[in-house]
Amino acid sequence: MNMKKPEFGFGVHLMLDGYGCDPEVLQDINVIYNFLDEYPQEMEMTKIMPPYVFRYKGVVPEDWGISGFVLIAESHISIHTFPEKRYLSLDMFSCKPFDTDKAVAVVKERFRIQKCEIHVLDRGQEFPNTIEDSTHVVRMDRMLRQRSR
C-alpha cells in the first residue's frame, strides 16, 4: 500500500462494523481499554491522551456495551460494543495515511469477528497538504470569483 501523503486530501476514515464477535471480549472493559491504548502505536499513530472507556446501559436493556475512544495526533479512534448482539462498530480517522488492510486484520483478530462491513472514505479531498498547493487553490478560487462577477 502507498503510504505517501497525496497532494490533496485531509485523511482516511475507516469504518468497520463487526458481526459475530466474541461476546466475552466485547464486554470486558479492560480488553477495550488495552486495545485503545495499544492500537495507535501498532498502527504507527501518536496517542495524545489515555483512552476514555466506559460501560453504557441504556433504555433498551440488550443494547448495553462498552464505548471508548482515544485521541491521536492524527485524529481519533472510537469503538462501541454490543455484547448481547455480538456486534461492534469502530471508526478510525487519520490525517496520516495508514494501512487499512492491516487495521482491519488487527481488529478482526482481536475481537474474533466472523463477518464485517468495511467502508473507507477519503475525506477533505480538496484539502491542500502544502503551502504551494494552498497558494494554487487560492489563486484558482480568486480567478473563478472574478470571472463570475
Short mmCIF file of all heavy atoms in Angstrom, two decimals, residues 55-67 80-85 87:
data_model
loop_
_atom_site.label_atom_id
_atom_site.label_comp_id
_atom_site.label_asym_id
_atom_site.label_seq_id
_atom_site.Cartn_x
_atom_site.Cartn_y
_atom_site.Cartn_z
N ARG A 55 -18.72 1.85 30.50
CA ARG A 55 -19.80 0.89 30.27
C ARG A 55 -21.10 1.67 30.10
O ARG A 55 -21.39 2.56 30.88
CB ARG A 55 -19.91 -0.07 31.45
CG ARG A 55 -20.90 -1.20 31.27
CD ARG A 55 -20.86 -2.17 32.44
NE ARG A 55 -19.53 -2.70 32.68
CZ ARG A 55 -19.02 -3.79 32.08
NH1 ARG A 55 -19.75 -4.46 31.23
NH2 ARG A 55 -17.80 -4.19 32.36
N TYR A 56 -21.86 1.33 29.06
CA TYR A 56 -23.10 2.01 28.77
C TYR A 56 -24.28 1.09 29.05
O TYR A 56 -24.27 -0.07 28.66
CB TYR A 56 -23.12 2.44 27.29
CG TYR A 56 -24.46 2.90 26.81
CD1 TYR A 56 -24.92 4.17 27.10
CD2 TYR A 56 -25.29 2.06 26.07
CE1 TYR A 56 -26.17 4.60 26.67
CE2 TYR A 56 -26.53 2.48 25.63
CZ TYR A 56 -26.96 3.74 25.94
OH TYR A 56 -28.19 4.16 25.50
N LYS A 57 -25.28 1.62 29.76
CA LYS A 57 -26.54 0.91 29.95
C LYS A 57 -27.64 1.88 29.58
O LYS A 57 -27.79 2.91 30.22
CB LYS A 57 -26.71 0.44 31.39
CG LYS A 57 -25.78 -0.67 31.77
CD LYS A 57 -26.06 -1.19 33.16
CE LYS A 57 -25.07 -2.32 33.43
NZ LYS A 57 -25.28 -2.91 34.75
N GLY A 58 -28.41 1.55 28.55
CA GLY A 58 -29.41 2.47 28.05
C GLY A 58 -30.83 2.01 28.33
O GLY A 58 -31.08 1.12 29.15
N VAL A 59 -31.73 2.60 27.62
CA VAL A 59 -33.15 2.33 27.77
C VAL A 59 -33.49 0.91 27.33
O VAL A 59 -34.27 0.21 27.96
CB VAL A 59 -33.97 3.35 26.94
CG1 VAL A 59 -35.46 3.13 27.12
CG2 VAL A 59 -33.57 4.78 27.31
N VAL A 60 -32.87 0.45 26.26
CA VAL A 60 -33.08 -0.90 25.76
C VAL A 60 -32.04 -1.81 26.43
O VAL A 60 -30.84 -1.66 26.19
CB VAL A 60 -32.92 -0.96 24.22
CG1 VAL A 60 -33.14 -2.37 23.70
CG2 VAL A 60 -33.85 0.04 23.54
N PRO A 61 -32.47 -2.72 27.31
CA PRO A 61 -31.52 -3.50 28.11
C PRO A 61 -30.45 -4.23 27.30
O PRO A 61 -29.28 -4.26 27.69
CB PRO A 61 -32.41 -4.49 28.86
CG PRO A 61 -33.76 -3.86 28.88
CD PRO A 61 -33.86 -3.05 27.63
N GLU A 62 -30.82 -4.83 26.18
CA GLU A 62 -29.84 -5.60 25.42
C GLU A 62 -28.87 -4.72 24.62
O GLU A 62 -27.96 -5.25 23.98
CB GLU A 62 -30.53 -6.62 24.51
CG GLU A 62 -31.37 -6.04 23.42
CD GLU A 62 -32.83 -5.85 23.83
OE1 GLU A 62 -33.13 -5.81 25.05
OE2 GLU A 62 -33.67 -5.71 22.94
N ASP A 63 -29.05 -3.43 24.65
CA ASP A 63 -28.14 -2.53 23.93
C ASP A 63 -26.99 -2.03 24.80
O ASP A 63 -26.27 -1.12 24.41
CB ASP A 63 -28.90 -1.32 23.36
CG ASP A 63 -29.66 -1.69 22.11
OD1 ASP A 63 -29.44 -2.78 21.56
OD2 ASP A 63 -30.49 -0.86 21.67
N TRP A 64 -26.80 -2.64 25.97
CA TRP A 64 -25.68 -2.21 26.80
C TRP A 64 -24.36 -2.59 26.11
O TRP A 64 -24.34 -3.44 25.21
CB TRP A 64 -25.75 -2.85 28.19
CG TRP A 64 -25.38 -4.30 28.20
CD1 TRP A 64 -26.20 -5.35 27.90
CD2 TRP A 64 -24.10 -4.85 28.46
NE1 TRP A 64 -25.52 -6.52 27.98
CE2 TRP A 64 -24.21 -6.24 28.34
CE3 TRP A 64 -22.87 -4.29 28.82
CZ2 TRP A 64 -23.13 -7.10 28.54
CZ3 TRP A 64 -21.80 -5.14 29.02
CH2 TRP A 64 -21.94 -6.53 28.88
N GLY A 65 -23.29 -1.97 26.55
CA GLY A 65 -21.99 -2.31 25.98
C GLY A 65 -20.91 -1.41 26.50
O GLY A 65 -21.07 -0.69 27.48
N ILE A 66 -19.78 -1.48 25.84
CA ILE A 66 -18.61 -0.69 26.20
C ILE A 66 -18.35 0.28 25.05
O ILE A 66 -18.35 -0.11 23.88
CB ILE A 66 -17.35 -1.58 26.38
CG1 ILE A 66 -17.62 -2.77 27.32
CG2 ILE A 66 -16.17 -0.74 26.84
CD1 ILE A 66 -17.85 -2.40 28.76
N SER A 67 -18.12 1.54 25.40
CA SER A 67 -17.76 2.55 24.41
C SER A 67 -16.47 3.20 24.84
O SER A 67 -16.22 3.38 26.04
CB SER A 67 -18.86 3.62 24.29
OG SER A 67 -20.03 3.07 23.73
N HIS A 80 -17.53 1.03 19.81
CA HIS A 80 -18.74 0.79 20.57
C HIS A 80 -19.05 -0.70 20.45
O HIS A 80 -19.07 -1.24 19.33
CB HIS A 80 -19.92 1.60 20.02
CG HIS A 80 -19.63 3.05 19.94
ND1 HIS A 80 -19.73 3.90 21.03
CD2 HIS A 80 -19.20 3.82 18.91
CE1 HIS A 80 -19.40 5.11 20.66
NE2 HIS A 80 -19.06 5.10 19.38
N THR A 81 -19.27 -1.35 21.60
CA THR A 81 -19.56 -2.79 21.55
C THR A 81 -20.98 -3.06 22.07
O THR A 81 -21.49 -2.34 22.92
CB THR A 81 -18.57 -3.61 22.40
OG1 THR A 81 -18.82 -3.40 23.78
CG2 THR A 81 -17.13 -3.26 22.05
N PHE A 82 -21.57 -4.12 21.55
CA PHE A 82 -22.90 -4.58 21.94
C PHE A 82 -22.78 -6.09 22.17
O PHE A 82 -23.09 -6.89 21.27
CB PHE A 82 -23.93 -4.28 20.85
CG PHE A 82 -24.10 -2.81 20.57
CD1 PHE A 82 -23.20 -2.12 19.78
CD2 PHE A 82 -25.16 -2.12 21.13
CE1 PHE A 82 -23.36 -0.77 19.52
CE2 PHE A 82 -25.33 -0.76 20.89
CZ PHE A 82 -24.42 -0.08 20.09
N PRO A 83 -22.31 -6.50 23.38
CA PRO A 83 -22.01 -7.92 23.62
C PRO A 83 -23.17 -8.87 23.37
O PRO A 83 -22.97 -9.95 22.82
CB PRO A 83 -21.59 -7.93 25.10
CG PRO A 83 -21.11 -6.55 25.37
CD PRO A 83 -21.95 -5.65 24.52
N GLU A 84 -24.37 -8.49 23.76
CA GLU A 84 -25.51 -9.40 23.57
C GLU A 84 -25.86 -9.58 22.11
O GLU A 84 -26.48 -10.58 21.74
CB GLU A 84 -26.72 -8.92 24.38
CG GLU A 84 -26.45 -9.06 25.87
CD GLU A 84 -27.68 -8.83 26.71
OE1 GLU A 84 -28.79 -9.15 26.26
OE2 GLU A 84 -27.51 -8.33 27.84
N LYS A 85 -25.49 -8.64 21.29
CA LYS A 85 -25.75 -8.72 19.85
C LYS A 85 -24.50 -9.13 19.07
O LYS A 85 -24.54 -9.20 17.84
CB LYS A 85 -26.30 -7.40 19.34
CG LYS A 85 -27.65 -7.09 19.98
CD LYS A 85 -28.26 -5.83 19.48
CE LYS A 85 -29.64 -5.66 20.13
NZ LYS A 85 -30.31 -4.44 19.75
N TYR A 87 -21.82 -7.62 18.36
CA TYR A 87 -21.57 -6.60 17.33
C TYR A 87 -20.65 -5.50 17.88
O TYR A 87 -20.72 -5.16 19.06
CB TYR A 87 -22.90 -5.98 16.90
CG TYR A 87 -22.78 -4.73 16.07
CD1 TYR A 87 -22.54 -4.81 14.69
CD2 TYR A 87 -22.88 -3.47 16.65
CE1 TYR A 87 -22.42 -3.66 13.93
CE2 TYR A 87 -22.77 -2.32 15.90
CZ TYR A 87 -22.53 -2.42 14.54
OH TYR A 87 -22.40 -1.29 13.79
#
